[in-house]
Amino acid sequence: MTSARDRHTVGPDELLQQMRAEDGLYVLGCFERRVTLASQQVRALNLVYALHERRIVPTNGAILVVGGGVAGMTAAAGAARLGYKVTLVEQRDELLPLLRGNAKRWLHPRVYDWPEPDAEHPEADVPVLPWRAAPAGEVVEQLERQWKALPELPRIEVLLSARVVDLGQGAPRRVSLNAPGLKRREVAAVILAVGFGLERRVEGVDFVSYWDDDNLDQSPRRSPARYFISGTGDGGLIDAVRARLRGFRHDRLLADFVGAEELGSVRQALLDIEHEAVAREIRSAGSARDHLYDAYEGLGEKYADVLDASVDAAIRERLRNDVTVVLGGLESVPFSLGASILSRFLVSRLLFAFGLAYHPGGFSRISRAPDGYEVQFQLGGPERFDRVICRHGPQAAIEREFPPIWEKCVQPMRAFASLDQTRWPIYKRAYERAP
């Protein structure tokens, strides 16, 4: 089976080109289209390794990392292991703030890499801050234990409730921050690991973050119920699956739906479809969507018997009679390279084999109605729903916190991100501790 890793290779110089905003300033994983905790960790270690390998940061030099999520913590830990002094800055009063306490969202290092080989492997294969698949809140606990056990921790200065107010210029550069009170640090490199920011809110809709525990996969309090889920990224697609199927468990996603051995030919076909879609997007933006729709529809026809006996059989057994779902998105089809193959594939089966409704073009208005919501789509009259969930993605943290860097980087870095070249390890054995 030919994997994405086999098709995409990158070295330190190319990686630095893709992540460099300006001399001494690098943006880590804020524009990528494939984002998981494990892939962000690999990107962090790749970047620190490239800075080290190309001697951009001198021996015993200093690095400042902005952002106390998984990517920022991994970058800080990796840099400390390579001998650098590190300052880690987080504007909230604790590290890993978004994931804490969540018991509903299951985090797996490779699940969204399916159908790549070894997607089922539950261990994050990283040399720094490793963890094992578990609910988000439990993963936080694992990462904190690993963090506190780092032999290199004394080389890391952690500043909480801190905000950068001046990034300085050049390399080395002097950075100013309120932490609280003005502090200044001279560093050889700054890594912006601020993530994707906070989710956008939609007027008229009760806000429930992707990282908030919810009851979407439980029986509705009033039956039958009708749900509208807006958004075709991984968040929206997986919530459509959760809402439509009874007894959905994120931790059993692979085993319950795509674990059958006879799906080998389907898995390879999905990888080939992806390869062609990426090539089309690089040649002509937007053409990937139509290709994905046509290819998934054709896949269902070509492998009808195999799918009926495996994926479709599992879905059929779990279809809920007490909930119907309408999926909505801005584009004509609900498939894009911004979501994982697994999410797209499962939704394609609901769409082609089980009649999942899809509304393109977005909506013009959502308003409260008795015991629910009224949604006005671009075409047709208003429709009533018992529940509305909007997964429209976040407002980019860089856009909000560092507007000049956003304006400079948004176009070139998004173009680089479409190449999907940064989530495979290039650091070899650089982070192994000496015996």
Side-chain angles (χ1 to χ4, degrees):
M1 182 180 293
T2 304
S3 69
R5 184 172 184 170
D6 297 327
R7 293 169 175 153
H8 301 291
T9 58
V10 66
D13 293 325
E14 294 167 299
L15 187 133
L16 290 171
Q17 179 188 12
Q18 294 189 24
M19 295 190 179
R20 178 184 174 277
E22 57 189 40
D23 286 347
L25 181 62
Y26 300 85
V27 177
L28 172 57
C30 297
F31 296 98
E32 304 291 345
R33 66 178 178 84
R34 181 66 60 85
V35 180
T36 64
L37 260 68
S39 66
Q40 292 289 71
Q41 287 184 291
V42 170
R43 290 184 179 106
L45 295 175
N46 280 345
L47 174 56
V48 171
Y49 167 76
L51 294 172
H52 176 75
E53 179 72 8
R54 293 298 181 256
R55 303 185 185 279
I56 292 173
V57 181
T59 303
N60 298 323
I63 295 176
L64 186 136
V65 181
V66 182
V70 173
M73 290 175 66
T74 304
R81 180 159 298 181
L82 294 182
Y84 301 117
K85 180 181 178 181
V86 183
T87 298
L88 177 62
V89 179
E90 167 55 45
Q91 65 178 354
R92 300 201 187 188
D93 62 358
E94 59 186 354
L95 300 176
L96 300 168
L98 293 182
L99 307 181
R100 290 180 179 275
N102 183 282
K104 287 282 188 177
R105 299 292 181 180
W106 180 265
L107 294 179
H108 188 290
R110 298 279 320 266
V111 66
Y112 286 131
D113 286 340
W114 186 91
E116 298 282 353
D118 300 324
E120 298 87 350
H121 187 60
E123 304 282 350
D125 188 19
V126 288
V128 176
L129 301 183
W131 53 279
R132 184 180 177 87
E138 293 183 20
V139 171
V140 168
E141 295 173 2
Q142 294 181 51
L143 291 168
E144 284 188 324
R145 287 195 296 270
Q146 296 285 345
W147 177 261
K148 292 176 181 178
L150 287 171
E152 305 86 4
L153 196 58
R155 282 200 286 271
I156 304 174
E157 175 191 31
V158 178
L159 299 178
L160 300 176
S161 302
R163 186 180 295 273
V164 174
V165 293
D166 185 1
L167 285 169
Q169 294 181 341
R173 59 176 60 209
R174 179 160 289 188
V175 180
S176 300
L177 50 141
N178 288 318
L182 183 65
K183 297 183 184 297
R184 305 186 78 190
R185 298 290 184 270
E186 185 169 304
V187 296
V190 175
I191 297 175
L192 296 182
V194 295
F196 283 78
L198 299 176
E199 294 170 79
R200 295 182 178 91
R201 297 172 183 255
V202 176
E203 185 178 355
V205 178
D206 289 337
F207 177 72
V208 178
S209 169
Y210 180 85
W211 297 110
D212 290 339
D213 282 336
D214 61 32
N215 62 352
L216 183 61
D217 43 14
Q218 296 176 316
S219 296
R221 297 296 175 259
R222 186 178 61 189
S223 178
R226 194 164 184 253
Y227 295 170
F228 174 53
I229 298 177
S230 177
T232 57
D234 274 311
L237 297 185
I238 206 65
D239 275 354
V241 176
R242 288 178 64 207
R244 192 67 187 91
L245 302 183
R246 180 181 293 105
F248 178 88
R249 284 183 54 179
H250 214 162
D251 59 316
R252 291 193 53 83
L253 193 58
L254 295 178
D256 286 350
F257 298 104
V258 294
E261 292 184 6
E262 57 266 31
L263 284 175
S265 56
V266 174
R267 293 171 65 172
Q268 183 58 59
L270 285 167
L271 289 174
D272 293 341
I273 291 168
E274 194 77 358
H275 179 56
E276 175 61 22
V278 170
R280 288 179 179 230
E281 184 166 271
I282 292 172
R283 293 196 305 266
S284 175
S287 63
R289 291 181 179 274
D290 289 337
H291 171 71
L292 289 170
Y293 179 91
D294 295 340
Y296 289 164
E297 187 176 35
L299 190 75
E301 296 170 355
K302 181 176 180 179
Y303 296 100
D305 292 341
V306 172
L307 293 173
D308 185 67
S310 55
V311 180
D312 293 355
I315 292 176
R316 191 178 300 111
E317 183 180 353
R318 295 164 181 262
L319 275 178
R320 296 168 64 166
N321 296 319
D322 56 354
V323 173
T324 57
V325 174
V326 174
L327 179 65
L330 294 176
E331 305 295 336
S332 58
V333 299
F335 307 128
S336 75
L337 291 170
S340 67
I341 299 175
L342 178 59
S343 298
R344 282 184 260 132
F345 177 59
L346 290 176
V347 168
S348 78
R349 299 316 303 151
L350 289 174
L351 188 76
F352 296 130
F354 298 98
L356 175 71
Y358 177 68
H359 259 295
F363 52 82
S364 59
R365 176 180 54 82
I366 295 181
S367 57
R368 291 283 189 175
D371 298 321
Y373 297 90
E374 187 176 88
V375 179
Q376 178 62 61
F377 295 102
Q378 296 299 327
L379 296 177
E383 298 187 28
R384 186 196 170 280
F385 295 93
D386 297 279
R387 188 168 185 171
V388 171
I389 296 171
C390 294
R391 297 282 177 241
H392 294 174
Q395 178 189 8
I398 286 185
E399 181 183 15
R400 185 182 67 252
E401 301 291 338
F402 305 101
I405 305 303
W406 163 267
E407 293 174 6
K408 179 184 295 186
C409 294
V410 59
Q411 295 302 327
M413 287 193 176
R414 280 184 175 167
F416 281 132
S418 68
L419 301 175
D420 192 25
Q421 293 181 315
T422 61
R423 64 185 174 104
W424 310 110
I426 66 171
Y427 42 80
K428 301 177 183 177
R429 303 177 66 179
Y431 293 101
E432 291 185 6
R433 288 195 294 263

